[in-house]
Structures are given as C-alpha cells and as structure tokens.
Amino acid sequence: MDYALYNHILISKINDAKQVNWQIVNLGLANVSEERINDQLDKMLLGLNRLFKYKNIKQVSLGYFRMLDIVKAGSMYHPTIHLLLPMMKSYVQGRYYIKKKDWLDMWARALNQAPEDELAVSIIALNEKGDRTHQVHMMEALAACAAFTSEECPEPASEPIPSRRWIAYSRLMKEQANQVAPLLHYDVEQFAIHDAIANHAFSMMRHWHAGLRMA
C-alpha cells in the first residue's frame, strides 16, 4: 500500500511535467518448486535486465518501477514481477506498440524458455476510463489514514527467501523518486486525487506486495 500511494504522487508529478503513456505489465512464472525457487528468482531478475535491452522495449520505455511479488500456494511458488511503465507519448500509435504476444515472446527469450513453459504475462493500459467519482473517494479515504484492513495486509510466509531487491526504480521513475521524499504520514493534500491516470494505477498497485506471502 505504501508504494501504491507513493507511486501515485510520482505519476501525477510526471503527468504535470510531460505527456507519457502509462502501462502495467506483470511478468511471472507459475508452479515453481521450493527446490527451484531461488534459482528461478535470480533468473527472472537477470531476464528483466535483458528484456529492457531489447530494441522493441528500449525505444519506447522511459523507465520503470518494479516489484517482486511471490505467492506461495501449498508447496508451489508463483513469482511475479510487477512493472509500472511510463512509455513515450506515441507508444500506442502505430508501429511502436507492443502486443501481449510480443511481451510473452520477449519474456520467454529473456528467460531462455519456451512461451508455453508456464510463463504468465498480463498487460493493463492505464487510462482515464472508469468511475472517477469512486476513484476520488477511494483516494480520499485511503490517503487520510494509515490503518488498513487485514485484507490489504496478507499473511506473511513462514519461511523467508534470501534477501533481494524487492523493488527498484529506473530512469524517469528514479529521477522523480529522487525529488520526492518518502511518505512518513498520509495526508490527502499530498495527492493529486483528480489525476485519473494516477488513480487507475493506484487501484492496481494497492494489491501488490513486495516479498513472499501465503495465498
């Protein structure tokens, strides 16, 4: 939740300064055994670095916020890298747009795996659609207090995974983060609650969790 609120501020400040397109991409693996999880996490993070060197992504991406979120269900692990991506203004127009199949193919290539090897990719284009009144009320309620329900605070996993960089910022997102102090308290006045793009992103990111958790 903290990162969702903080990133809401970053998005709105970037939107004030320049025109960009925003997208969320989730890159994951399914059904990873305990014996393989740490090797697969290393492989995913290395693969992500490789992915952003591919021309199709490099020419349109302005940076990212990424979070490593791992759900354990029974004996199996399901890791996901959540990406919040500012893209160049003309990204959705013409030849630059990257379709879901292309993201899947590039993710598979970055991992040196076949696309059908239980890889998971989802894409959400952030836009101004949706119930704006509801979004504003949601932001007012959540930003006004720091007490969140147990539903939004999942049960942590009993066994830790070795320390990693669970979150990271790059390029435009990192530049903006360097200018905005971390949130020490929640005050609705900090937020551009009428920024529909930031609100849409927040509604997605509030369900993300850095680290390992139980299903």
Side-chain angles (χ1 to χ4, degrees):
M1 182 67 74
D2 288 345
Y3 289 114
L5 289 167
Y6 183 65
N7 286 337
H8 186 286
I9 293 176
L10 301 187
I11 292 168
S12 62
K13 287 187 178 296
I14 290 171
N15 286 343
D16 281 343
K18 62 194 308 179
Q19 289 186 312
V20 301
N21 278 285
W22 292 93
Q23 187 173 59
I24 284 176
V25 176
N26 300 304
L27 306 171
L29 295 176
N31 299 313
V32 180
S33 67
E34 185 169 352
E35 293 75 18
R36 298 173 59 232
I37 184 60
N38 284 300
D39 287 342
Q40 289 296 87
L41 292 178
D42 291 339
K43 187 175 181 180
M44 287 176 71
L45 293 175
L46 289 172
L48 183 69
N49 291 334
R50 191 174 299 120
L51 185 74
F52 276 82
K53 294 177 182 177
Y54 294 160
K55 180 181 178 180
N56 284 9
I57 297 177
K58 188 175 181 180
Q59 67 185 356
V60 296
S61 170
L62 303 176
Y64 61 71
F65 166 77
R66 68 110 174 128
M67 176 183 288
L68 181 57
D69 184 359
I70 309 161
V71 175
K72 185 180 181 185
S75 61
M76 304 303 286
Y77 295 79
H78 308 275
T80 299
I81 297 176
H82 301 296
L83 295 169
L84 171 65
L85 302 172
M87 309 294 253
M88 64 185 232
K89 179 183 176 182
S90 58
Y91 172 64
V92 296
Q93 302 169 358
R95 62 189 180 91
Y96 292 110
Y97 184 74
I98 304 171
K99 298 178 180 178
K100 180 179 178 179
K101 180 182 182 302
D102 298 323
W103 277 106
L104 179 59
D105 289 343
M106 286 187 289
W107 182 228
R109 178 155 58 102
L111 296 176
N112 194 28
Q113 293 183 208
E116 63 270 17
D117 286 350
E118 300 201 83
L119 304 185
V121 172
S122 66
I123 300 172
I124 300 166
L126 298 175
N127 53 51
E128 299 183 3
K129 297 178 181 178
D131 187 336
R132 298 187 68 168
T133 300
H134 169 74
Q135 290 179 337
V136 169
H137 288 166
M138 175 185 66
M139 284 302 305
E140 288 175 333
L142 290 173
C145 68
F148 304 112
T149 67
S150 58
E151 179 183 356
E152 289 157 346
C153 300
E155 176 189 355
S158 57
E159 71 275 20
I161 282 179
S163 178
R164 281 179 170 78
R165 290 184 64 199
W166 299 112
I167 66 118
Y169 291 91
S170 80
R171 299 177 60 198
L172 182 60
M173 293 296 294
K174 185 175 182 178
E175 291 169 12
Q176 191 61 60
N178 287 339
Q179 299 176 35
V180 177
L183 293 180
L184 299 179
H185 63 282
Y186 301 92
D187 181 352
V188 71
E189 297 299 324
Q190 298 175 91
F191 302 94
I193 60 175
H194 294 282
D195 185 323
I197 299 294
N199 289 347
H200 189 185
F202 174 80
S203 69
M204 301 291 106
M205 293 184 294
R206 65 194 290 252
H207 301 294
W208 298 357
H209 303 279
L212 177 63
R213 58 193 171 102
M214 304 300 291

